[in-house]
Amino acid sequence: MTAALTCPVCAHVVPPGPSCTRCDWVLSGGPWLDVDAHARRLEFHAELTTARRSFDVAAAVRAAGDDQALLKRVLTHVRGDASAEVKIRPAEHHTEPLAVVGAFAMDLVARHGELAVVDVRLDGVAVARIDVRERHVPVLTGPVRLHAWRDLMPALPQDHDELALVLAGGVGRQQRRAPVELAELALGTSVLVLHRLPDLPIPDEFVSRFADVRLVARSEPVLDAAVVASWVARAPLRHDVSLVLVDVDAQGVTRPVTRTLFSAGTSAGDVPVEKLIVDAPAGGRDPLVLAVVSGPAGTPPRQCEPISVLRCELGPGQPHELEFRLDGPGEITLVRPRGKADEGTALRWPELLDDVPPRYRSDVNALDFAIAVELGGSADTVGARRKLAVDVLAHLAAHHPEPEAVRAAVIGYDDHRLTRAVLKSTRGFVALQDAEDFTAALPASEPIEPKGAPVEDALAVACSLPWRPLPAARRLLVIGGRPPHPPADSRISRCPHRLDWESLVARLDRDQVEHVAVWDRPAWTERPNDEARLATRAWHALASPRRPMLLSGVDAASVVEEAGAVRATAPQPPLLFPLVPKN
């Protein structure tokens, strides 16, 4: 049996042969004759010392890399003269930025569902374990653990600088034989190695066990929780991120659905924000639930994982533009409008969907209410008309089952005059409070034509209003004293705009706008003549099929009741999710 040989230069056990298979030191040669054996011994010793130093110095350079301070310290452990000049330069390797490696790591997590990231460096081997758990978001499971090299190979030296030399394959003054056993780490099947120590034999031996290896510069930040968090923040979405809405069909049947905000594969920063138009349900008084969820395309909302469940104030019965920002795979921010976290609401997901009523009618209490007020007359006369209009609007706000579902338009009509517009009106339909404020500021004016007022101009405006589709209720209230200008009558001036009030009333009837009239009947209309009869007929037509009410004998409640503006409807269960827009 042939005894194993240990190379005097690299300290490795080598098979029998003329030279070391690792460092090429000549182990044996042919017989030689030298009369000066002492000189030959000195020469051999010098050659061996130089070879040992060169071997250790090369290892020291590999161990130090570009760190000159470390190189200076490691050189104190080499065999031979440590003060001699070192001209060896470390080998250069193509490394990848840590952010690029992180993107690859997140791709592995998406494919495998878990990943062990191993950072190989001089102070040991750091291991971070990343797993995909709830919400399909990569998370760091536990702290990043550092395994010192002595934990993996107990025979390694304790001194940090000497350890670096031995890791790089050097022997050093202690004449240490390189350890041969490297402990295993239970890392699982999906492993990514960050290799910062290429060309160092012991780290290379460790790294050789793994398939996914990326070279990383030593200057890059070490693997820790902050690094993993930065990777996760840039990780592509594994599944679509969507907002939960409620779709309502023509029969009022509700169905929870999702609308995609960010598609699978999107990373934070790829798009600045995403905007989505939603409708707020009418009549809602509680903040709506904005539930942002994650799941494969087509997954029912109930089976999606919640990412963010907020409460948000949205004006009932109105469209709203929501703006979201992707800050990470599990971080979605509602940019506009502001919402607030509600732990109780979030804990009830997905049971919140059980609260969605099976049927919902957004138009069950919808009301478009227009008021035409004559402004010609004395301050007291116009003041009484104006007060009734204000009281009617206030009554609707106080007694309508869903005041938010009511829109109001106010048309103040003045006499035709060259120097002033005949109409003072809101711009279409507005909220009740805005209409009330507008009406309260309408001024009285001196009438010009004693037996005719531009009611027809107000009717033309009413016909052109953006009435909501049926079955939303449509009502027009006319408050005044003088009748409209007749299409043809030699005794009363005609409308300068050539408007025919009867045709306009017929158009309102066709559009199913129900109209009522309140008349502060002038004294001349009670005389037994044609002018009085025409005025009376006109006001009856403005109130048809009802009769005109007299201003002196009505109040806001009776006017609202006469107009049928408050319908008796069963209260609807509240709907706390936004609606899919219909327009």
Side-chain angles (χ1 to χ4, degrees), residues 175-475:
Q175 298 288 317
R176 294 181 183 275
R177 179 178 298 175
V180 294
E181 293 184 2
L182 191 61
E184 294 282 349
L185 291 174
L187 299 174
T189 57
S190 180
V191 180
L192 173 64
V193 177
L194 315 182
H195 192 10
R196 302 175 190 261
L197 307 175
D199 295 336
L200 274 61
I202 292 178
D204 280 345
E205 168 64 22
F206 175 81
V207 168
S208 66
R209 308 174 183 187
F210 306 102
D212 287 322
V213 178
R214 294 291 186 271
L215 296 184
V216 176
R218 299 188 194 187
S219 59
E220 290 282 347
V222 297
L223 182 68
D224 59 13
V227 167
V228 175
S230 69
W231 290 355
V232 170
R234 294 288 300 177
L237 294 174
R238 189 179 184 190
H239 298 305
D240 290 353
V241 170
S242 308
L243 181 68
V244 176
L245 305 177
V246 172
D247 189 25
V248 182
D249 67 14
Q251 286 70 45
V253 177
T254 62
R255 180 173 62 95
V257 296
T258 57
R259 287 296 180 266
T260 302
L261 296 173
F262 302 97
S263 301
T266 305
S267 299
D270 288 350
V271 291
V273 293
E274 281 294 341
K275 299 177 181 179
L276 186 66
I277 301 293
V278 302
D279 283 346
R285 287 176 169 78
D286 294 325
L288 293 185
V289 175
L290 299 186
V292 179
V293 298
S294 173
T299 302
R302 188 178 296 274
Q303 298 175 21
C304 291
E305 293 287 345
I307 290 180
S308 171
V309 180
L310 303 174
R311 289 280 195 163
C312 186
E313 298 276 359
L314 296 179
Q318 304 173 32
H320 297 270
E321 183 178 69
L322 308 181
E323 193 171 307
F324 295 88
R325 184 180 68 239
L326 175 64
D327 294 325
E331 298 293 333
I332 307 294
T333 299
L334 176 62
V335 179
R336 182 175 59 86
R338 289 293 183 182
K340 60 181 179 179
D342 187 313
E343 184 177 357
T345 301
L347 290 174
R348 290 195 60 226
W349 181 264
E351 288 77 14
L352 284 168
L353 296 173
D354 296 337
D355 297 337
V356 176
R359 288 183 176 273
Y360 170 80
R361 294 302 299 264
S362 61
D363 53 11
V364 67
N365 287 312
L367 168 65
D368 284 347
F369 197 93
I371 303 178
V373 183
E374 181 184 349
L375 303 180
S378 66
D380 290 342
T381 300
V382 175
R385 298 168 187 161
R386 185 174 56 227
K387 181 179 184 306
L388 178 62
V390 169
D391 290 348
V392 165
L393 293 169
H395 186 87
L396 286 172
H399 296 89
H400 194 276
E402 293 184 19
E404 300 86 356
V406 180
R407 305 189 309 172
V410 179
I411 310 161
Y413 58 95
D414 206 343
D415 279 53
H416 291 294
R417 54 186 83 216
L418 298 176
T419 59
R420 191 164 59 192
V422 67
L423 298 172
K424 297 178 177 63
S425 63
T426 57
R427 294 185 177 181
F429 288 104
V430 297
L432 283 172
Q433 185 60 58
D434 293 336
E436 188 176 334
D437 294 341
F438 178 87
T439 305
L442 288 174
S445 65
E446 190 68 27
I448 297 176
E449 169 58 60
K451 297 182 180 179
V455 182
E456 64 279 359
D457 291 80
L459 296 176
V461 173
C463 288
S464 64
L465 287 172
W467 302 93
R468 279 179 286 187
L470 299 173
R474 302 171 177 180
R475 300 291 186 269

Side-chain angles (χ1 to χ4, degrees), residues 18-43:
S19 299
C20 175
T21 56
R22 188 165 186 266
C23 67
D24 294 331
W25 175 256
V26 177
L27 299 172
S28 62
W32 51 274
L33 179 64
D34 192 340
V35 293
D36 191 354
H38 177 68
R40 180 66 189 123
R41 284 195 299 273
L42 292 176
E43 181 184 356

Side-chain angles (χ1 to χ4, degrees), residues 3 35 66 73 105 131 215 233 256 283 323 406 469 497 528 531 547 570 579:
V35 293
D66 293 328
R73 298 196 307 270
D131 196 359
L215 296 184
E323 193 171 307
V406 180
H497 300 140
E531 293 176 353
R547 295 176 61 85
L579 301 173

Side-chain angles (χ1 to χ4, degrees), residues 76-90:
T76 63
H77 294 277
V78 304
R79 293 167 292 177
D81 184 6
S83 64
E85 183 180 0
V86 175
K87 295 183 179 181
I88 304 174
R89 298 294 302 168

